[in-house]
Amino acid sequence: MAEIKQGILGAVRGKVGTVVGAMWRGKNYIRAKPRKSRKKPTMKQLIQWDKMSQVSTFASKFKDFVNAYCAPVYNGEKWITGKEQMISRLMKQGIGLVNGEQHIIVEEVLLSIGNLAPAVIKKINRLKTAKFKVQWDNNLINALTLDTDVLTMMLYNEQLDQFVVIPNIGNRVDKYAHFSVPTDWDKGRVYFWSMWKAADGSVHSTSCFHGVLELENVEVEKEKEKEKQGAENVKQGTEHVDQKTGNEKQEADSENQEVAAVTPIGQAREIALKQYLEKADTSAEDKATPPFKEETTPPFRHPFKEVEIVGQGHTVAEKPTHPLEVSSDTQSLANSPEAVEPKLKKWTPPGYIRLVTKSISKESKEVETPLKSKQSDEGVIDGARSILEVDNITEEQKE
């Protein structure tokens, strides 16, 4: 039963038979009741659903901040919020294909849009104190820039799937400042953005993306530095008091020494690709020959399928194929546990983020549901469907 709050000419809320009254974007609509489609989704539909699910899931983490610092835009029909602008931008230019799956390209993420000129960030480093030091210069100036402008850093931890905003880090005139990340951020891959804002909050800058840092590597390096410092302290413990005073000053200075730096995303991808290929080569060389008789053991091979990373121009080894080429009389040997080579884990370059677990690349085993007569299909409207409803997909339905 539907409710008409403002008389017969008012808006309808609710459902009457196959008619539904609802409000969307501040406007009242009457539409037909949707029914679940009995048609098999096409591959284009599945790709689009997967893309939308991926983008909307990712954008929800930044909703409050993006809506606050991306002004609504009127397109002639309606107002588009900051989050909707972010989703639209990522759908058009922020999706990359890696290992047959769609990923968010993190450098395409824009968190704020404004007129204030930003200061150029020269370096972001993590110190031995676990704090971060950010340095900038003030070459970009105009009538809007003031020495009292404040810096805001935005960080996203991919492994923890958390986004934090660290405001009021320092003033534009300072040229450097320190900030800390949440205490529970002791692992994961972290991405960094910056934004400048006037002291009174009247104007702000467009966000800038700076790069990525692996927190695991930082922690290992810190432990090594602590061990090294401890050994030096033991060695210097018997020296003169004046020498101890000098050592204490040296230790205080060492608190500001850099442990790791935020790496530009392009350089991080090249380093990660090199490490992955070295690991793949090492794993191929270390494989032990199965304990079969020499005359019945087929030759080992390590063919790797090369997969291009969209937009990067690199090729990487995706997965090793079956290591043995066997004839019919040795097929049973190939199926034994000893003959199966361990597969390398799928590799995703830094800066490609995927939060949706379902994949459109899997083959479908669903049995196609027989369609009803044309008469019974009249008036059926395809309802909204999600990629999460589809377990597997075979191929695009042939018309």
Side-chain angles (χ1 to χ4, degrees):
M1 182 174 65
E3 180 184 4
I4 304 177
K5 293 185 177 181
Q6 299 177 356
I8 194 170
L9 298 179
V12 178
R13 298 287 184 87
K15 179 174 61 175
V16 178
T18 59
V19 178
V20 179
M23 177 179 287
W24 185 65
R25 294 183 182 272
K27 295 183 179 181
N28 296 288
Y29 294 89
I30 293 180
R31 60 174 181 259
K33 178 184 175 181
R35 299 180 186 175
K36 188 174 181 179
S37 175
R38 290 182 292 275
K39 285 186 177 181
K40 215 174 180 184
T42 65
M43 183 56 68
K44 288 184 178 180
Q45 287 176 319
L46 294 171
I47 292 174
Q48 186 69 10
W49 294 341
D50 179 74
K51 182 187 294 186
M52 188 64 194
S53 178
Q54 175 71 8
V55 169
S56 60
T57 302
F58 181 78
S60 63
K61 305 296 179 184
F62 309 87
K63 176 182 177 182
D64 295 336
F65 185 85
V66 172
N67 285 340
Y69 293 102
C70 291
V73 176
Y74 188 71
N75 65 354
E77 297 180 357
K78 58 188 177 183
W79 288 93
I80 304 175
T81 65
K83 179 187 175 182
E84 292 170 339
Q85 296 174 49
M86 180 182 183
I87 291 176
S88 176
R89 191 179 304 111
L90 290 177
M91 291 288 288
K92 294 177 181 177
Q93 63 189 45
I95 297 294
L97 192 66
V98 180
N99 293 329
E101 293 182 336
Q102 299 182 114
H103 292 67
I104 300 290
I105 305 175
V106 71
E107 61 264 35
E108 298 292 340
V109 176
L110 200 62
L111 300 181
S112 67
I113 300 175
N115 299 323
L116 184 64
V120 178
I121 302 295
K122 298 192 297 184
K123 190 185 296 185
I124 303 175
N125 301 95
R126 191 170 188 185
L127 308 177
K128 287 185 176 181
T129 58
K131 289 186 176 182
F132 284 85
K133 181 179 181 180
V134 53
Q135 304 175 55
W136 62 85
D137 62 45
N138 295 326
N139 293 334
L140 296 178
I141 58 174
N142 58 26
L144 295 177
T145 58
L146 298 174
D147 290 343
T148 56
D149 295 340
V150 293
L151 172 64
T152 298
M153 295 296 300
M154 299 86 78
L155 285 67
Y156 175 73
N157 190 313
E158 180 180 356
Q159 183 172 344
L160 301 179
D161 190 22
Q162 294 179 2
F163 172 71
V164 297
V165 179
I166 307 175
N168 304 327
I169 292 176
N171 294 329
R172 188 186 291 265
V173 69
D174 296 335
K175 295 189 176 181
Y176 78 92
H178 298 82
F179 65 93
S180 301
V181 299
T183 55
D184 59 337
W185 280 29
D186 56 352
K187 59 183 177 180
R189 186 180 292 164
V190 180
Y191 301 96
F192 294 78
W193 291 265
S194 68
M195 181 193 72
W196 290 88
K197 185 171 61 172
D200 59 359
S202 59
V203 64
H204 59 270
S205 70
T206 299
S207 64
C208 296
F209 176 72
H210 301 292
V212 60
L213 178 68
E214 294 281 356
L215 292 182
E216 292 88 349
N217 297 337
V218 174
E219 296 300 328
V220 172
E221 192 66 25
K222 283 176 61 181
E223 292 297 329
K224 291 182 179 179
E225 291 293 335
K226 286 182 179 179
E227 294 177 0
K228 183 179 178 181
Q229 189 65 33
E232 292 179 355
N233 292 339
V234 173
K235 182 179 179 181
Q236 297 174 359
T238 57
E239 295 183 359
H240 194 267
V241 176
D242 294 339
Q243 185 69 25
K244 289 184 178 181
T245 304
N247 292 339
E248 291 176 358
K249 182 179 180 181
Q250 184 178 0
E251 290 177 5
D253 294 338
S254 68
E255 291 294 323
N256 292 325
Q257 290 183 3
E258 301 172 359
V259 176
V262 174
T263 308
I265 195 64
Q267 182 180 350
R269 285 179 181 142
E270 292 179 1
I271 295 173
L273 175 62
K274 182 179 179 181
Q275 293 175 347
Y276 176 81
L277 293 178
E278 290 176 353
K279 182 179 179 181
D281 294 339
T282 304
S283 62
E285 293 175 358
D286 294 342
K287 303 300 181 192
T289 305
F292 297 137
K293 293 182 179 180
E294 184 176 354
E295 62 272 16
T296 61
T297 304
F300 257 104
R301 291 191 179 183
H302 298 272
F304 288 84
K305 180 181 178 182
E306 291 186 344
V307 179
E308 183 177 0
I309 302 174
V310 177
Q312 300 303 318
H314 297 299
T315 56
V316 299
E318 181 188 16
K319 279 187 177 182
T321 57
H322 201 286
L324 303 177
E325 289 188 2
V326 297
S327 58
S328 58
D329 57 342
T330 58
Q331 186 67 36
S332 59
L333 295 176
N335 293 330
S336 63
E338 293 82 4
V340 178
E341 180 180 359
K343 294 183 178 181
L344 291 176
K345 185 180 180 181
K346 275 190 176 181
W347 177 71
T348 301
Y352 289 91
I353 300 174
R354 181 174 179 84
L355 302 176
V356 179
T357 56
K358 291 290 183 179
S359 172
I360 65 171
S361 61
K362 297 179 181 179
E363 295 185 357
S364 175
K365 298 180 181 179
E366 295 180 349
V367 179
E368 186 174 357
T369 305
L371 297 178
K372 296 183 179 181
S373 62
K374 293 183 179 180
Q375 183 177 1
S376 62
D377 286 341
E378 291 181 0
V380 175
I381 299 177
D382 294 348
R385 298 178 61 183
S386 168
I387 186 64
L388 302 178
E389 298 176 4
V390 183
D391 294 330
N392 297 304
I393 301 93
T394 50
E395 59 183 4
E396 182 176 352
Q397 181 185 7
K398 297 181 180 179
E399 299 293 339

